[in-house]
């Protein structure tokens, strides 16, 4: 029987596409959800939590959400905006004094002491739009600034976890910016910086604030920056296949792994753990313009700001060029165009998804988007890192199949 989220033929086709990946042995297991309007969402659970067998994937399996954390954790900042505790053009140095009096590299290849003064201070808007001047630029690997970002442990997924937030800020404050504030879109660091800002403005930990104002009201009981001991049996290991051979290597084990205890740094850029139903509640709330079961979580303007393009024409051209010219880095992740707050927003039709679709993908094999035009939410969860093309190709095929299946 069709749930009406997609057609019966669509369900069959989606099952075939997902099963082919699991049967290939390259993806141990997958949990996928497609929801449309008020219909009961269609959910697939296939395969196992370990590549060598183990328990089957279940609807309540908990996943490391990686960069699909970004569209969710940004909600904390929107709550503060709604509460008038921060404003878009406030200077962040009020709460983040480590970022006052910035210097900016003369060129992206410059030595760290070859700088000019910043033309203006950094604002909340710069951080929300990922344009404050520092980020993970995979097209600039090997430059002095990128080498130092890695050396100082400012990004997740390094051998050493990130330090607690005050030490992280101290290290961040020793670096010059790559670009002038508000000039160019940059990935990742702004999302983690936002968590520090929320924590300092609210006087609470980032996780506590999110739980109180976002996760709790949405019923997202399995979402947080670590998995409690009693629930660890629902968390699979995270695999990073060998790029040459495809052999599975465990990047993060369950017991004693990075997500089994509270982290020193609660990273908005990639630290969440969650389930398919928790994420469905969140993205459905965004499609409902900020309400959940009659309760308002975010204002309608806050949701509109998050989920529509916030980049200028110049910033958009830069971001589009990165997607177009660096498909070899992202395994052809897709060309979205714009960026809102914490998430990609499609500003032109580059594939099967329409203009206006918003969300993001994660390097642990996760993909989460919502589409206002079709009132569709799609969520794809695996635990296979993007060291090979397979997880990204699975995401692409998942979305291609969904859009064929809509009546």
């Amino acid at each position: 029987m069709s749930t009406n989220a997609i057609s019966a033929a669509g369900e069959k086709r989606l099952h075939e596409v997902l099963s082919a990946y699991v049967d290939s042995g390259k993806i141990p297991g997958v949990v996928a959800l497609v929801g449309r309007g008020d219909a009961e969402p269609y959910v697939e659970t296939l395969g196992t939590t370990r590549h060598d067998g183990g328990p089957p994937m279940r609807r309540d399996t908990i996943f490391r959400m990686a960069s699909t954390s970004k569209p969710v954790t940004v909600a904390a900042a929107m709550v503060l905006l709604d509460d008038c505790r921060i404003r878009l053009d406030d200077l962040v140095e009020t709460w983040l004094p480590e970022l006052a009096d910035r210097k900016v590299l003369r060129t992206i290849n410059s030595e760290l002491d070859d700088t000019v003064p910043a033309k203006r201070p950094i604002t909340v808007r710069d951080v929300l739009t990922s344009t404050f001047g520092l980020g993970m630029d995979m097209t600039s690997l090997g430059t002095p600034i990128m080498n130092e970002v890695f050396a100082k442990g400012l990004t997740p997924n390094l051998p050493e976890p990130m330090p607690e937030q005050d030490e992280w800020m101290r290290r961040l404050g020793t670096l010059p910016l790559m670009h002038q504030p508000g000039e160019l879109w940059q990935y990742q660091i702004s999302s983690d910086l936002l968590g520090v800002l929320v924590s300092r403005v609210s006087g609470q930990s980032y996780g506590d604030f999110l739980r109180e104002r976002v996760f709790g009201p949405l019923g997202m009981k399995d979402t947080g920056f670590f998995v409690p001991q009693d629930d660890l049996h629902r968390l699979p290991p995270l695999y990073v296949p060998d790029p040459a051979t495809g052999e599975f290597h465990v990047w993060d084990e369950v017991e004693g792994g990075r997500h089994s205890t509270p982290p020193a740094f609660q990273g908005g850029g990639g630290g969440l753990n969650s389930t398919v139903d928790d994420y469905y509640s969140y993205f459905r709330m965004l499609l409902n313009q900020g309400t959940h079961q009659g309760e308002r979580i975010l204002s309608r303007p806050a949701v509109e700001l998050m989920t529509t393009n916030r980049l200028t024409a110049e910033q958009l051209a830069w971001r589009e060029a990165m997607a177009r010219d660096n498909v070899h880095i992202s395994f052809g992740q897709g060309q979205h165009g714009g960026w809102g707050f914490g998430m990609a927003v499609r500003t032109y039709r580059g594939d099967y998804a329409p203009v206006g679709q918003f969300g993001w993908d994660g390097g642990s094999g996760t993909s989460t988007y919502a589409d206002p035009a079709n009132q569709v939410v799609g969520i794809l969860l695996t635990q296979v890192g993007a060291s090979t093309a397979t997880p990204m190709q699975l995401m692409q095929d998942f979305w291609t199949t969904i859009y064929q299946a809509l009546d």
Side-chain angles (χ1 to χ4, degrees), residues 213-281:
R213 298 299 300 273
V214 181
F215 302 159
L218 283 170
M220 297 171 68
K221 64 184 187 303
D222 289 319
T223 304
F225 288 110
F226 76 101
V227 180
Q229 185 67 38
D230 290 350
D231 293 318
L232 273 180
H233 65 281
R234 292 197 276 144
L235 180 73
L238 174 59
Y239 295 107
V240 176
D242 185 297
T245 66
E247 181 186 354
F248 283 102
H249 297 290
V250 176
W251 166 251
D252 189 43
E253 198 41 275
V254 178
E255 293 287 346
R258 293 190 181 199
H259 293 258
S260 64
T261 54
F265 189 96
Q266 297 179 334
L272 286 184
N273 306 276
S274 193
T275 62
V276 72
D277 282 301
D278 277 13
Y279 256 55
Y280 182 62
S281 292

Side-chain angles (χ1 to χ4, degrees), residues 38-350:
D38 296 326
E40 188 67 23
Y42 173 66
V43 178
E44 278 271 8
T45 59
L46 295 165
T48 56
T49 57
R50 303 190 72 92
H51 82 89
D52 50 0
M57 283 289 185
R58 304 190 331 182
R59 186 164 176 163
D60 68 348
T61 296
I62 297 172
F63 293 85
R64 298 164 192 76
M65 299 307 291
S67 285
T68 56
S69 301
K70 291 177 173 72
V72 176
T73 57
V74 72
M78 306 315 291
V79 169
L80 291 175
L81 283 166
D82 277 344
D83 288 352
C84 298
R85 296 172 74 179
I86 58 174
R87 293 153 214 89
L88 286 169
D89 294 306
D90 280 348
L91 306 186
V92 296
E93 61 196 50
T94 305
W95 303 279
L96 308 173
E98 298 92 339
L99 296 182
D101 304 318
R102 289 295 80 197
K103 296 280 196 291
V104 182
L105 291 177
R106 196 174 300 276
T107 74
I108 193 65
N109 296 306
S110 293
E111 296 296 331
L112 299 186
D113 57 359
D114 181 17
T115 61
V116 298
K119 293 175 182 174
R120 64 164 176 80
I122 297 166
T123 65
V124 171
R125 187 189 302 272
D126 296 330
V127 179
L128 278 166
T129 54
S130 299
T131 61
F132 85 97
L134 258 179
M136 293 296 296
D137 186 349
M138 304 312 279
T139 67
S140 300
L141 292 177
T143 57
I145 184 66
M146 280 302 296
N147 289 345
E148 200 60 23
V149 165
F150 288 126
K152 290 196 180 301
L154 294 174
T155 70
N157 304 325
L158 296 174
E160 283 292 311
M162 297 200 292
E164 55 84 24
Q165 66 178 29
D166 289 348
E167 171 61 16
W168 187 86
M169 282 303 307
R170 185 194 69 76
R171 296 181 193 180
L172 186 69
T174 66
L175 296 180
L177 301 180
M178 295 171 169
H179 304 287
Q180 289 286 347
E183 185 182 18
L184 291 178
W185 181 86
Q186 297 261 274
Y187 189 55
Q188 179 63 40
I189 294 179
S190 56
S191 297
D192 287 325
L193 181 61
L194 206 56
V196 183
L197 179 66
V198 167
S199 179
R200 289 189 178 175
V201 171
S202 68
Q204 295 176 263
S205 77
Y206 193 25
D208 285 349
F209 187 82
L210 276 163
R211 189 161 55 248
E212 184 181 303
R213 298 299 300 273
V214 181
F215 302 159
L218 283 170
M220 297 171 68
K221 64 184 187 303
D222 289 319
T223 304
F225 288 110
F226 76 101
V227 180
Q229 185 67 38
D230 290 350
D231 293 318
L232 273 180
H233 65 281
R234 292 197 276 144
L235 180 73
L238 174 59
Y239 295 107
V240 176
D242 185 297
T245 66
E247 181 186 354
F248 283 102
H249 297 290
V250 176
W251 166 251
D252 189 43
E253 198 41 275
V254 178
E255 293 287 346
R258 293 190 181 199
H259 293 258
S260 64
T261 54
F265 189 96
Q266 297 179 334
L272 286 184
N273 306 276
S274 193
T275 62
V276 72
D277 282 301
D278 277 13
Y279 256 55
Y280 182 62
S281 292
Y282 179 79
F283 277 85
R284 180 55 58 189
M285 177 271 292
L286 294 183
L287 285 185
N288 290 340
Q289 282 98 34
T291 62
H292 171 73
Q293 295 177 353
E295 183 179 352
R296 183 154 293 285
I297 311 298
L298 295 171
S299 69
R300 181 189 292 259
V303 173
E304 289 170 350
L305 280 169
M306 294 163 68
T307 61
T308 56
N309 177 54
R310 305 265 60 83
L311 301 185
T312 65
E314 294 80 10
Q315 293 163 349
L316 204 53
W318 159 267
R319 186 168 143 70
E320 287 174 354
M322 287 181 75
R324 186 176 59 245
D325 298 340
N326 297 288
V327 291
H328 58 293
I329 293 174
S330 65
F331 298 117
Q333 179 192 7
Q335 297 183 17
H336 304 77
W339 194 262
F341 291 163
M343 65 191 88
V345 178
R346 292 187 188 267
T347 47
Y348 64 92
R349 188 136 201 181

